[in-house]
Amino acid sequence: MPNLIITGGTRGIGRAVVELFLKEGWNVCTCARKEEALKGLKEELKNPKNLYVKVCDVGDKNSAKAFVEFCKEKLGNFDLLINNASILGERESIENYPEDVWEEVIRINLNGVFYITKYAIPYMKEGGVIINMSSGAGKRSAPYWGAYAVSKFGVEGFSLLLSEELKGKKIKVYALNPGATRTQMRAKAYPREDPLTVKPPEKVAEFILLLLKKLPQVVSVDWEG
Ligand SMILES: NC(=O)c1ccc[n+]([C@@H]2O[C@H](COP(=O)([O-])OP(=O)(O)OC[C@H]3O[C@@H](n4cnc5c(N)ncnc54)[C@H](OP(=O)(O)O)[C@@H]3O)[C@@H](O)[C@H]2O)c1
């Protein structure tokens, strides 16, 4: 059975991926900051044997390292790494953007992707895949998206250089913009939007499965669903 390590698997897109890949027979290892949510995930899915969870803050390098080592211990080497965890921060102008929120968003959304990836690379199988969740705000000018947009531009750049660096190991790297998706993060970004007008996270999970069956030639994948 193939092995998946995915950050932020307790809700939204991460959770939909966890559920679908478990159903497809994968071994899955995931994390989040809230222990209760991880316990809830396991209970709601009826404690599958092939699901492993650990509390982790991806933006903390010691926590990120401990999570990757835990996944290696439980799964062995990884077929797929999905850097999914991120936070929105504030919708605010640069002039008024709070410094502490800026630092927290960059710490989680960008440093977190670096730490998890750096520690996971030695355990990636040849022919493995790394998917970094990006955003339209990381590809086109997105005024008032502040640190979130800048972190996702960083994720796009990170994915481009990493894809070159890992060619020798035959590991493919993608930055995936999942497009508007019905999650807590989306509701926070667009409080007046009717959630039913955007696609559910299960669609993104299905798309990721399709992407693995036919790996694209480009690194940056833009999917509006
Ligand atoms: N939803 C959309 O429309 C949309 C559009 C474009 C891109 N995306 C991207 O898609 C990905 C998933 O988004 P989503 O909408 O599903 O978000 P979400 O509903 O807010 O879920 C985020 C997940 O990440 C975890 N997380 C947050 N910070 C973490 C940290 N420091 N360490 C470990 N886990 C952490 C959360 O759990 P805890 O809070 O317990 O840590 C939760 O499980 C993100 O990268 C997002 O930027 C989403």
Side-chain angles (χ1 to χ4, degrees), residues 56-71:
C56 165
D57 175 352
V58 296
D60 175 315
K61 57 177 177 287
N62 294 324
S63 183
K65 195 169 192 22
F67 172 61
V68 172
E69 292 299 329
F70 170 81
C71 296

Side-chain angles (χ1 to χ4, degrees), residues 1-6 17-30 48-53 67 70-82 125 209 212:
M1 285 201 284
N3 297 329
L4 163 66
I5 164 173
I6 178 170
V17 171
V18 167
E19 290 195 31
L20 181 63
F21 279 67
L22 284 172
K23 244 186 245 161
E24 294 286 318
W26 288 55
N27 300 310
V28 177
C29 192
T30 193
K49 286 194 309 294
N50 48 339
L51 172 63
Y52 304 92
V53 303
F67 172 61
F70 170 81
C71 296
K72 161 70 178 166
E73 188 191 310
K74 297 296 177 192
L75 306 180
N77 286 350
F78 315 135
D79 297 88
L80 175 62
L81 161 64
I82 305 182
K125 290 186 192 172
L209 209 53
L212 293 179

Side-chain angles (χ1 to χ4, degrees), residues 112-124:
V113 171
F114 163 63
Y115 295 141
I116 294 285
T117 307
K118 174 182 163 70
Y119 303 137
I121 285 171
Y123 305 141
M124 291 299 299

Side-chain angles (χ1 to χ4, degrees), residues 141-156:
S141 174
Y144 306 103
W145 281 77
Y148 178 84
V150 172
S151 73
K152 295 300 187 181
F153 269 98
V155 165
E156 290 280 335

Side-chain angles (χ1 to χ4, degrees), residues 143-174:
Y144 306 103
W145 281 77
Y148 178 84
V150 172
S151 73
K152 295 300 187 181
F153 269 98
V155 165
E156 290 280 335
F158 179 82
S159 306
L160 281 171
L161 68 90
L162 187 67
S163 74
E164 295 287 334
E165 291 184 10
L166 295 184
K167 268 189 182 144
K169 292 182 189 260
K170 299 196 167 47
I171 296 166
K172 295 264 196 180
V173 181
Y174 299 100

Side-chain angles (χ1 to χ4, degrees), residues 13-222:
I13 293 170
R15 178 169 177 144
V17 171
V18 167
E19 290 195 31
L20 181 63
F21 279 67
L22 284 172
K23 244 186 245 161
E24 294 286 318
W26 288 55
N27 300 310
V28 177
C29 192
T30 193
C31 70
R33 290 166 299 178
K34 295 184 197 79
E35 186 158 25
E36 277 310 303
L38 287 167
K39 274 191 194 156
L41 173 74
K42 283 201 85 170
E43 279 167 21
E44 283 158 36
L45 299 183
K46 308 206 180 353
N47 295 304
K49 286 194 309 294
N50 48 339
L51 172 63
Y52 304 92
V53 303
K54 184 171 171 64
V55 172
C56 165
D57 175 352
V58 296
D60 175 315
K61 57 177 177 287
N62 294 324
S63 183
K65 195 169 192 22
F67 172 61
V68 172
E69 292 299 329
F70 170 81
C71 296
K72 161 70 178 166
E73 188 191 310
K74 297 296 177 192
L75 306 180
N77 286 350
F78 315 135
D79 297 88
L80 175 62
L81 161 64
I82 305 182
N83 280 304
N84 169 72
S86 91
I87 59 169
L88 181 67
E90 305 250 332
R91 299 284 308 275
E92 186 50 276
S93 65
I94 294 297
E95 188 179 3
N96 295 318
Y97 206 93
E99 290 86 344
D100 57 339
V101 179
W102 181 279
E103 285 162 12
E104 185 67 351
V105 172
I106 299 296
R107 187 183 74 80
I108 293 176
N109 296 11
L110 195 51
N111 297 357
V113 171
F114 163 63
Y115 295 141
I116 294 285
T117 307
K118 174 182 163 70
Y119 303 137
I121 285 171
Y123 305 141
M124 291 299 299
K125 290 186 192 172
E126 194 176 299
V129 174
I130 297 175
I131 297 176
N132 300 316
M133 297 305 279
S134 178
S135 165
K139 297 168 76 71
R140 299 171 275 280
S141 174
Y144 306 103
W145 281 77
Y148 178 84
V150 172
S151 73
K152 295 300 187 181
F153 269 98
V155 165
E156 290 280 335
F158 179 82
S159 306
L160 281 171
L161 68 90
L162 187 67
S163 74
E164 295 287 334
E165 291 184 10
L166 295 184
K167 268 189 182 144
K169 292 182 189 260
K170 299 196 167 47
I171 296 166
K172 295 264 196 180
V173 181
Y174 299 100
L176 170 62
N177 166 24
T181 310
R182 195 186 309 153
T183 68
Q184 249 183 52
M185 184 186 284
R186 177 77 191 183
K188 186 180 170 201
Y190 295 92
R192 284 189 290 275
E193 178 180 78
D194 174 0
L196 294 177
T197 59
V198 290
K199 67 182 177 304
E202 290 74 20
K203 292 275 176 213
V204 179
E206 283 163 19
F207 177 73
I208 290 175
L209 209 53
L210 275 178
L211 191 118
L212 293 179
K213 284 181 186 149
K214 194 169 185 296
L215 291 172
Q217 293 305 310
V218 291
V219 172
S220 184
V221 179
D222 215 355

